[in-house]
Amino acid sequence: EASSYWQVSRAFDWFGVDAGVELRSFTEEHARDSFENLLFSVCRFFELTRKFPSKITVVGFESKRDRFQKLHLRAIGYPESNFTYIGTKALNEKEMEAGEVKVREAFARDPFGCRGELAAKRHDRDPFNEGAPYSSQVKILSAFWLHIDTCSQRLYNGYFPWSPGMMIK
């Protein structure tokens, strides 16, 4: 999915006049849902820079704003003050909003998306069972990966590299 957006951007010259933007643009290819989009993008940034992002901006449908700001951000312990969500309208906004209520409720019950419909959707979106490499590549998050692997419905209460008082590296 991500590489197709990159290819469309390239084909329509959406990288703009600064040719350097294209050279600095990378994709994350393993995420299977919005939670993984956020978490894995942070991991991909770390993979490429050996640092964690000091600021995150997500561009997405307006109807998904609350899911990102109120659920996913809390689930990864990322400071709200360093996060921006830019919402865009969808052509089928009313239909999306109706479906969004169900998805938000599911993530509210299951912050890491590892049970029920959320887990089934991930399974369906990974037909070759490839998974994501980040738990072995971003070892500084090993306690968090362990917490996710237990499929806890509680938020992780440990420290993240971006937690208040921690140095972002």
Side-chain angles (χ1 to χ4, degrees):
E1 182 179 358
S3 65
S4 63
Y5 289 126
W6 190 91
Q7 291 168 8
V8 168
S9 295
R10 187 170 189 216
F12 286 96
D13 197 28
W14 290 343
F15 290 112
V17 233
D18 180 1
V21 172
E22 182 177 353
L23 298 174
R24 295 188 316 269
S25 298
F26 295 90
T27 59
E28 193 295 307
E29 298 292 331
H30 301 286
R32 300 164 292 179
D33 61 30
S34 57
F35 171 73
E36 287 185 348
N37 272 317
L38 182 61
L39 176 59
F40 291 178
S41 292
V42 169
C43 293
R44 179 72 169 134
F45 185 90
F46 180 82
E47 183 180 58
L48 294 166
T49 66
R50 305 318 287 169
K51 298 177 191 175
F52 289 100
S54 58
K55 180 174 175 31
I56 297 174
T57 300
V58 170
V59 177
F61 292 120
E62 183 60 39
S63 59
K64 294 183 180 185
R65 177 186 297 272
D66 283 350
R67 186 191 326 172
F68 277 89
Q69 288 184 321
K70 295 182 176 157
L71 299 172
H72 298 334
L73 213 55
R74 279 186 47 215
I76 69 164
Y78 200 84
E80 195 173 335
S81 59
N82 296 7
F83 179 80
T84 303
Y85 190 93
I86 300 171
T88 63
K89 292 285 183 196
L91 294 176
N92 58 341
E93 193 72 23
K94 293 223 185 276
E95 183 182 313
M96 279 191 73
E97 285 175 9
E100 180 58 24
V101 169
K102 286 178 63 179
V103 175
R104 253 193 332 264
E105 288 172 352
F107 273 112
R109 287 187 308 273
D110 180 12
F112 308 112
C114 58
R115 298 174 191 271
E117 290 178 32
L118 297 174
K121 189 184 291 187
R122 281 187 186 161
H123 180 267
D124 292 347
R125 291 178 175 177
D126 189 10
F128 301 109
N129 199 27
E130 292 178 356
Y134 303 114
S135 61
S136 62
Q137 292 177 351
V138 186
K139 293 181 181 180
I140 193 167
L141 297 178
S142 60
F144 182 58
W145 296 124
L146 182 61
H147 183 79
I148 289 175
D149 287 346
T150 65
C151 202
S152 175
Q153 292 179 295
R154 296 180 184 189
L155 294 176
Y156 175 68
N157 63 3
Y159 289 99
F160 291 99
W162 49 82
S163 295
M166 302 293 286
M167 296 285 286
I168 294 181
K169 294 182 179 182

